[in-house]
Each structure stands twice: as structure tokens, then as C-alpha cells.
Amino acid sequence: GINSQIATGGSGSQGSVGIGFAVPIDTAKQIIPDLKQSGRVDRGYLGIASATVDKTLKDLNLPVDHGALVQSVAPGSPAAEAGIRAGDLPATLDNHPIQLGGDIITKVAGKEIRTKDDLEAAVADRKSGDKVKITLWRASKVRTVEVTLGERPNTVANQP
């Protein structure tokens, strides 16, 4: 990998506390051409925040046992333009807030989405302007929407 950060001892400390962070070599190999050409990495942007659908949500009687439950959709984002819907029923599950009633994304461009991390990776593997088909569940019915991914804004709070 490529070293990217190192944790220091805190305010005013110059030394390392033995914790470093690195970009995995496979990721570095993927992004180096973009960096050479434009000086930045072009990753797709969907404009949602999501939660993983897994066995911890089994009591909610969801139509699927895996996927990414849409928690919020950024206004004007590619997801909003495609009609992807966020949850609108606030709840608490294991002392964590969750929005129920949103779409559950199960595939992006044919790739199975089992967790919110899978969704983030599937979107990050694409570039802005790419069109992808997203399979989702809404009200116990499967739907497919086509989304043109956008350019990731400079400030995005937890949204793939």
C-alpha cells in the first residue's frame, strides 16, 4: 500500500503513536491514471445515506434479508432525480436511530448489494456520468431504475 496518514501523540506532539493508515495497492493502481490525467479521482455519486439490511432487522418484516435501506436522499442528487425514496418513519433499533419505509437497494449494474458497504463500493467503482441500473424493493415490489451518477460534491456527509 501507500502510506497516507500517521497518528501522532496529540496536541504539540511530533512523534508517532504507532498507528498508520495506507491506501491499499489495488486501490492505488486504480486511481493513479485519474490522478496523472486530471490531478483528482472521479468517483460516482448517488446522493444517499443507507443502512445495512441484515438479520438485526428481521423483526421489521422487510421483503428481503439483505441490501441497503435508504435512510436519506440528498435534494437534487442523482438518486433524487431517479425517484429513489428515503425512509420517513423514524425509529430506534438497539439504541440507534433508523428511518424505516425507504427503498431497499439490492443490485447496482447487476452486482448484488448485501450491505451499505457493497453499495458504496459499487458506486465508487463508477465515474460521474455513468448510467447504472439499480434494482430496489419498494412496498414489497421489485423495481429497476436507471441513474446517471453525478460528480461527488466537495462536502458530502456519509453519502455514496
Side-chain angles (χ1 to χ4, degrees):
I2 298 173
N3 293 332
S4 62
Q5 297 177 27
I6 191 166
T8 59
S11 65
S13 175
Q14 298 294 320
S16 166
V17 294
I19 299 174
F21 302 90
V23 175
I25 194 63
D26 290 341
T27 301
K29 286 178 181 179
Q30 258 185 331
I31 65 173
I32 285 173
D34 284 346
L35 290 172
K36 283 182 176 179
Q37 183 177 1
S38 65
R40 60 185 293 276
V41 178
D42 181 12
R43 291 206 163 141
Y45 170 68
L46 184 57
I48 68 162
S50 65
T52 295
V53 173
D54 60 15
K55 62 185 173 190
T56 63
L57 303 180
K58 69 179 187 290
D59 292 336
L60 300 177
N61 296 320
L62 299 173
V64 290
D65 63 358
H66 66 280
L69 176 61
V70 179
Q71 297 293 284
S72 64
V73 177
S77 68
E81 291 178 15
I84 295 175
R85 295 184 188 167
D88 57 1
L89 301 169
T92 302
L93 185 65
D94 294 331
N95 293 324
H96 297 289
I98 188 167
Q99 292 290 109
L100 303 177
D103 293 338
I104 301 172
I105 297 174
T106 57
K107 287 186 182 179
V108 173
K111 181 179 179 182
E112 193 76 21
I113 303 299
R114 300 204 66 77
T115 67
K116 74 177 196 158
D117 292 338
D118 290 348
L119 175 60
E120 291 171 8
V123 172
D125 283 348
R126 305 286 180 159
K127 296 186 182 302
S128 61
D130 285 355
K131 292 182 183 203
V132 294
K133 290 190 188 259
I134 294 182
T135 303
L136 55 86
W137 284 82
R138 178 181 299 155
S140 298
K141 293 181 183 171
V142 68
R143 299 169 186 248
T144 300
V145 297
E146 186 171 83
V147 179
T148 301
L149 298 175
E151 187 172 324
R152 185 180 268 302
N154 288 334
T155 56
V156 173
N158 206 15
Q159 296 180 350

